[in-house]
Amino acid sequence: MTALKLGKIGRPSPDVSRFPALDPLQLGHLRHIENLAAQPDGEWSKMGIPDPGQEWLDSYRYQLAQMAYALGLAHYHRLPAAPAVFRRTFDNLIRKMLRREVWGYWKDTSQSGLYVNPDIKELRKGWTDPVVRENIMYSGHLSAMVGMYSMLFDDDGYDRPGALTFVHNPIFWGMGPEKLEYSRSSLNEVIYWQMVENGWLGVACEPNCVFIVCNQFPMLGFRFADWRKGTAVADEATRSYRAAWEKKGIFSDEGWFHGWWRVEQDEFVPPKSVGWTAWGGAVMNTWNRDFVHGIYRDQLRGVLKYGRDGLVSLYPNSVVPRVREALASGRSTDGIEDRAYPWPMPDFGYVAMLLSEMGDADLNGMFAHADRYMSPTWSEAGLYYPRSDQAYDGEGNLVRMDRLTGNAMLAYARLNVPDGLWALYNKPWEADHFASPALQKVTPGVDVTRAVYDPEASLLVLTLQPRDGRPQDVGVEIGPVAADTTWVLFIDGVATATCRGGALADTGAVHVAARDQVITVDLRLEKPTTLIVEYDDV
């Protein structure tokens, strides 16, 4: 539809000041995740970790998964009318999750070892398939990622046969390539039946090791798949899981969740710190909210270290018992420290994630500490906290930063809202959301700081800005918009185009077109610019 050229359109712009925009730090986190996800396959810049085998807690799989969850929270809560901002990056993260660098550790890990099963006399025969049995520390995250994707983008593409394909094709090893094909449904089915076989206590991560934290993520995958398919697997799984652990006993002596359950020995390994409890609690909140809200502050007792200027960091696990004793007796905790503690786990990020889900004000103190002592860094317009293997600075301030926390967990916490993951789980988007106008396409390199559709006011509000302040020519596509819908486009408060009865007219300030239920706007973007589309009917 070609627009007629009009003079000034005499219509006042709606007031949209009630709709918040992303702040620069939130936007910086999204840019950094986009940058990492857009790297060529095989390039893992800014994601390298000390462990060469991708076995530990800051491995690629955890970084990719937590970045995906951060995107999901940002889309749902911050920019709900901007699928164009998130979809490609989310796809990139899933594609990387399927690469052999991410899951190839399993061929060795599947053979077991004395660390996970001290009673073995010889190794098991290992296997390549990373999801067919055990390894919920990978398969659970993959299930959650593709499930969240389907809910956010109204797309069941990952449920096609072979949509999740693992290719094991070393150049010099083996009898030829292995191709292992799954879909969202077949992946979830494998996980479900292992839970049933294990009496609903969960699926093992490493052989013989069932971790409470890792079994929270497939609950997300079940729930999002239920929403797409009309099933109720998540209800059965969470109900059965809760009953199994109420009988087994979920708490360690510290009041935390058990580190893990050794299946063959039927014994619990003590938790290394509060970390897995915080991480697990943040996700368990989706289906067990009253329980998590009721216990988390006591679990953090003696863990949070309050400093000057409202800063909050963590005590090392080695001194938490002493801190708890001091607090219980009313004594000062000054001087309780252990600067030799190696910080083996991403505890800072785990706790930040929990506090963000709980809506706890101490999260602001953790951000303040990170921003003062953990070297926030901007690269290619993205914000992250670079790896630091040093535990403390000369004044005893915690400076340790792992890749999971620096790339993903602090981003997650800053983009989340109180009970944010709970909302995705319990109030997933329905058909009316996807029938509402939204930003469907935008020129790469444009930052979107506001994108919301208000159905009561029939308003779509978009705020765009050129990345790094560099002017650029930008095209946006907005839809779906029925052909007979009456609407007015405002740009920075000025009515610029209108469509009534299928007749489109504009002032000539920008190029506007409407066809196939899509409004296309081409403009020169030189500064933060707000586009408002006001509809008389949608």
Side-chain angles (χ1 to χ4, degrees):
M1 181 187 304
T2 303
L4 298 174
K5 295 296 182 283
L6 297 179
K8 182 178 180 181
I9 300 174
R11 182 162 175 168
S13 175
D15 179 12
V16 297
S17 58
R18 64 188 182 277
F19 301 114
L22 292 178
D23 66 38
L25 301 182
Q26 292 168 332
L27 181 60
H29 285 307
L30 289 179
R31 289 166 171 167
H32 181 64
I33 293 172
E34 178 185 336
N35 291 341
L36 294 183
Q39 294 182 114
D41 286 346
E43 177 62 52
W44 300 96
S45 177
K46 299 183 177 68
M47 297 179 70
I49 63 173
D51 170 36
Q54 291 298 313
E55 297 173 277
W56 199 234
L57 297 163
D58 48 0
S59 298
Y60 294 152
R61 61 187 177 277
Y62 300 123
Q63 295 184 54
L64 295 170
Q66 289 292 159
M67 285 191 283
Y69 308 148
L71 291 183
L73 291 167
H75 186 15
Y76 186 97
H77 294 291
R78 305 291 183 178
L79 301 174
V85 172
F86 300 98
R87 185 166 187 156
R88 177 178 293 182
T89 300
F90 213 122
D91 272 318
N92 287 341
L93 293 173
I94 293 173
R95 188 187 73 253
K96 289 180 181 296
M97 194 75 167
L98 297 174
R99 285 187 59 83
R100 181 158 58 95
E101 305 102 293
V102 178
W103 54 264
Y105 66 89
W106 184 248
K107 186 167 71 70
D108 287 338
T109 301
S110 63
Q111 298 175 66
S112 193
L114 290 172
Y115 183 78
V116 297
N117 192 342
D119 295 336
I120 62 171
K121 303 304 180 185
E122 61 182 6
L123 298 181
R124 306 187 310 189
K125 180 176 175 59
W127 62 90
T128 301
D129 189 328
V131 300
V132 70
R133 181 181 166 201
E134 302 170 334
N135 201 22
I136 198 67
M137 58 195 172
Y138 172 82
S139 60
H141 284 291
L142 182 60
S143 170
M145 291 170 73
V146 297
M148 186 178 288
Y149 180 97
S150 66
M151 186 279 286
L152 291 171
F153 303 113
D154 191 27
D155 186 340
D156 291 315
Y158 288 110
D159 207 22
R160 294 191 306 269
L164 304 175
T165 295
F166 307 99
V167 178
H168 189 261
N169 189 20
I171 296 174
F172 302 115
W173 180 93
M175 303 300 291
E178 294 180 75
K179 191 175 183 181
L180 309 159
E181 297 185 346
Y182 289 85
S183 65
R184 186 190 67 205
S185 291
S186 63
L187 173 64
N188 284 347
E189 184 174 2
V190 166
I191 295 171
Y192 171 86
W193 284 114
Q194 288 181 88
M195 286 195 170
V196 172
E197 291 166 3
N198 290 343
W200 288 107
L201 288 166
V203 181
C205 290
E206 296 82 5
N208 197 45
C209 299
V210 173
F211 287 76
I212 292 167
V213 56
C214 295
N215 279 277
Q216 303 312 305
F217 295 95
M219 303 302 185
L220 303 182
F222 289 159
R223 170 60 173 157
F224 295 134
D226 285 342
W227 191 249
R228 301 297 298 177
K229 300 170 68 175
T231 51
V233 176
D235 290 343
E236 177 192 4
T238 54
R239 182 177 61 252
S240 301
Y241 183 88
R242 185 204 308 261
W245 277 102
E246 284 178 352
K247 182 178 179 180
K248 191 76 173 174
I250 200 170
F251 293 114
S252 70
D253 293 341
E254 299 87 352
W256 300 333
F257 299 151
H258 292 298
W260 70 85
W261 172 45
R262 280 191 177 132
V263 180
E264 290 187 17
Q265 292 78 19
D266 193 18
E267 65 183 17
F268 294 117
V269 175
K272 294 179 179 294
S273 70
V274 77
W276 290 330
T277 296
W279 195 18
V283 185
M284 186 185 289
N285 187 64
T286 59
W287 60 270
N288 208 4
R289 180 166 62 165
D290 291 344
F291 174 74
V292 175
H293 274 266
I295 63 175
Y296 87 94
R297 282 304 309 190
D298 190 60
Q299 291 178 322
L300 293 178
R301 182 171 48 89
V303 171
L304 299 176
K305 183 177 182 180
Y306 298 94
R308 297 186 303 273
D309 302 327
L311 272 59
V312 179
S313 63
L314 305 182
Y315 283 104
N317 188 57
S318 57
V319 304
V320 167
R322 292 167 54 200
V323 175
R324 285 183 166 184
E325 289 174 3
L327 293 173
S329 63
R331 291 182 285 110
S332 172
T333 59
D334 291 347
I336 299 179
E337 61 179 0
D338 179 5
R339 297 191 190 184
Y341 186 73
W343 291 97
M345 294 172 55
D347 286 342
F348 196 92
Y350 290 155
V351 173
M353 178 178 172
L354 175 63
L355 293 181
S356 76
E357 185 70 9
M358 297 297 98
D360 195 300
D362 281 337
L363 177 64
N364 294 325
M366 293 191 71
F367 285 143
H369 180 92
D371 290 341
R372 182 176 297 184
Y373 294 115
M374 293 175 167
S375 304
T377 300
W378 292 84
S379 175
E380 298 181 84
L383 171 64
Y384 73 109
Y385 297 81
R387 170 181 162 183
S388 171
D389 297 341
Q390 178 183 342
Y392 294 93
D393 66 13
E395 297 180 352
N397 298 300
L398 180 63
V399 297
R400 173 75 159 81
M401 180 55 60
D402 59 89
R403 292 297 198 187
L404 177 63
T405 299
N407 286 331
M409 297 300 253
L410 291 179
Y412 179 110
R414 198 167 252 139
L415 292 164
N416 198 10
V417 302
D419 284 321
L421 192 59
W422 178 92
L424 266 73
Y425 185 97
N426 291 278
K427 299 179 180 180
W429 281 334
E430 302 191 45
D432 59 347
H433 171 84
F434 300 106
S436 300
L439 180 64
Q440 302 295 344
K441 289 185 180 181
V442 62
T443 300
V446 173
D447 288 328
V448 180
T449 61
R450 185 163 49 172
V452 61
Y453 176 72
D454 182 349
E456 295 184 2
S458 295
L459 287 177
L460 175 68
V461 183
L462 305 173
T463 300
L464 317 177
Q465 64 186 42
R467 187 162 295 183
D468 291 338
R470 296 190 298 263
Q472 64 182 116
D473 294 322
V474 172
V476 302
E477 292 187 8
I478 297 166
V481 181
D484 59 351
T485 299
T486 297
W487 52 265
V488 178
L489 169 66
F490 299 87
I491 299 181
D492 283 342
V494 177
T496 304
T498 184
C499 185
R500 183 179 298 275
L504 176 63
D506 66 43
T507 62
V510 297
H511 178 265
V512 182
R515 63 177 64 88
D516 299 328
Q517 296 192 318
V518 173
I519 301 171
T520 301
V521 182
D522 297 310
L523 70 161
R524 180 71 173 173
L525 194 65
E526 299 180 344
K527 60 180 179 59
T529 300
T530 296
L531 283 66
I532 302 170
V533 184
E534 185 176 30
Y535 304 88
D536 286 345
D537 47 59
V538 178

